Amino acid sequence: MKPNVVVTKAGQRRTTQMRRLAKSPVMLNWMYLPALLLFAVFIYYPFFRGLLISFTDWDGYSQIFHYIGIDNYKRMLSDSRVHTVIINTLIYGLGSTLFQNIIGLLYALLLNKHGKGRTFVRVIVYIPAIVSPIIMGYIWYFLLQYNGGAINDIITAFTGHPVNLLADPKVNVWIIMVVNTYQFLGVAMMIFLSGLQSISKDYYEAAEIDGASPMNRFFNITFPLLAPALTTSIILNLIGGLKLFDVIAALTNGGPGYASASLSTMMYQLYFARQDAGLAASLGNLMFLLITVISLTSLYFLRRKELSQ
């Protein structure tokens, strides 16, 4: 019986050691490994691969390519069409962010109050956000198209002739921005609603006792305490707007020419239509840099603003 007892005690010790190891911080760190592997395969490898391709004349299909240094970047920076596309991208990113947050905040303030039908209105405002952007783009395309579009039918009824809104470079960029704003303002609304519902009513009751007006309560209580929600909403909207693709592809496909293109749609066209993978990769790196700089700079100043409240 003694050997059995020894074996049992040894097994208990091993079991205890395994349990301690399973609960140790070192073992917990190994749980990150699958996520890191996926991140490396789908993020790091494509990023560094794209960086290398940007220094080549690869057409995207051939097995033969040559390293050409920074020629693609020189072509990109000297191309006036790229300058137009950068401006368009900034309009889509900054413009959509501005209007999504202003309108979303107004909706949140309105729907945070008690009243009949507020849940229904929340659903109606948020529904566009769950629709695929490409589907949303085609819905608006059928409304805005030159022949038979519902909006053009209304314009024709008043002016006698339709207007090709999607082919006008002075208008189509702003239409795309409005469509993107309309689709995702529900996301900003929900973020602000979450922030408003986390603010204690005690602040408002104390301010009301002190005789503060609704405007004073908003600027001295609501807005400062909404700073974290505002930061989250702005950063999400910025990233989404600066990499906008689907709505543009459905409405104008970046045309006429590249007049309404964003960096992402121009990159797509360069790769698949012109088979210029090197220049497309250069453009992709520019888009990555632009989004990173704008997002991190905005995050830095917004976080500082939060801490100063």
Side-chain angles (χ1 to χ4, degrees):
M1 296 298 292
K2 288 184 179 180
N4 291 335
V5 172
V6 172
V7 171
T8 302
K9 288 183 177 180
Q12 288 177 347
R13 282 197 297 270
R14 284 195 297 270
T15 302
T16 303
Q17 290 173 354
M18 291 295 292
R19 287 176 179 175
R20 288 176 180 174
L21 182 62
K23 294 179 180 180
S24 68
V26 175
M27 193 63 183
L28 182 62
N29 291 334
W30 283 101
M31 302 297 290
Y32 299 128
L33 187 59
L36 290 175
L37 288 173
L38 288 172
F39 202 82
V41 170
F42 293 105
I43 302 296
Y44 288 136
Y45 175 75
F47 173 75
F48 288 110
R49 185 67 177 171
L51 193 61
L52 290 174
I53 291 172
S54 70
F55 296 104
T56 71
D57 61 354
W58 189 43
D59 63 4
Y61 301 96
S62 173
Q63 297 296 319
I64 301 173
F65 58 88
H66 307 91
Y67 288 95
I68 58 174
I70 61 172
D71 287 357
N72 286 323
Y73 291 95
K74 290 180 179 178
R75 288 168 56 201
M76 177 182 68
L77 295 176
S78 62
D79 193 337
S80 60
R81 295 172 300 179
V82 174
H83 303 161
T84 300
V85 168
I86 292 173
I87 294 172
N88 292 345
T89 302
L90 292 175
I91 290 173
Y92 299 144
L94 302 179
S96 296
T97 299
L98 176 65
F99 288 108
Q100 281 175 23
N101 283 280
I102 291 175
I103 301 172
L105 179 57
L106 292 175
Y107 268 118
L109 291 170
L110 178 64
L111 298 174
N112 191 47
K113 298 178 180 179
H114 295 288
K116 295 181 179 179
R118 63 174 182 164
T119 302
F120 176 75
V121 176
R122 290 179 187 177
V123 172
I124 294 300
V125 174
Y126 189 76
I127 278 178
I130 65 176
V131 177
S132 169
I134 193 74
I135 299 299
M136 181 61 67
Y138 280 119
I139 290 171
W140 279 90
Y141 174 79
F142 290 123
L143 290 172
L144 293 164
Q145 64 181 337
Y146 183 74
N147 293 316
I151 293 176
N152 251 321
D153 287 344
I154 296 172
I155 293 174
T156 303
F158 285 97
T159 64
H161 56 84
V163 179
N164 200 348
L165 297 169
L166 296 178
D168 187 348
K170 296 179 181 178
V171 177
N172 55 15
V173 172
W174 302 101
I175 289 175
I176 292 168
M177 190 220 28
V178 168
V179 172
N180 186 53
T181 299
Y182 164 77
Q183 180 168 15
F184 292 107
L185 67 86
V187 177
M189 178 195 71
M190 296 304 294
I191 293 172
F192 288 128
L193 272 173
S194 299
L196 287 170
Q197 292 172 2
S198 67
I199 300 174
S200 174
K201 294 181 180 180
D202 295 340
Y203 296 119
Y204 296 106
E205 291 174 358
E208 196 170 352
I209 292 172
D210 290 339
S213 65
M215 191 66 69
N216 286 331
R217 292 199 295 270
F218 173 77
F219 284 106
N220 293 294
I221 298 175
T222 305
F223 195 72
L225 294 177
L226 273 180
L230 184 65
T231 298
T232 302
S233 182
I234 286 177
I235 298 302
L236 288 176
N237 294 153
L238 270 176
I239 294 173
L242 290 171
K243 64 183 183 67
L244 189 64
F245 175 84
D246 309 71
V247 172
I248 303 171
L251 283 173
T252 64
N253 199 28
Y258 291 105
S260 62
S262 66
L263 286 169
S264 57
T265 57
M266 186 177 188
M267 180 172 59
Y268 175 86
Q269 291 169 4
L270 286 172
Y271 190 105
F272 291 101
R274 291 175 50 182
Q275 298 182 8
D276 197 345
L279 185 57
S282 303
L283 210 63
N285 294 329
L286 174 64
M287 184 173 71
F288 171 78
L289 182 64
L290 185 70
I291 293 174
T292 301
V293 170
I294 293 177
S295 300
L296 291 181
T297 303
S298 302
L299 182 62
Y300 172 75
F301 284 107
L302 289 168
R303 288 296 189 194
R304 286 191 62 184
K305 189 67 175 177
E306 286 181 32
L307 296 174
S308 65
Q309 296 293 344

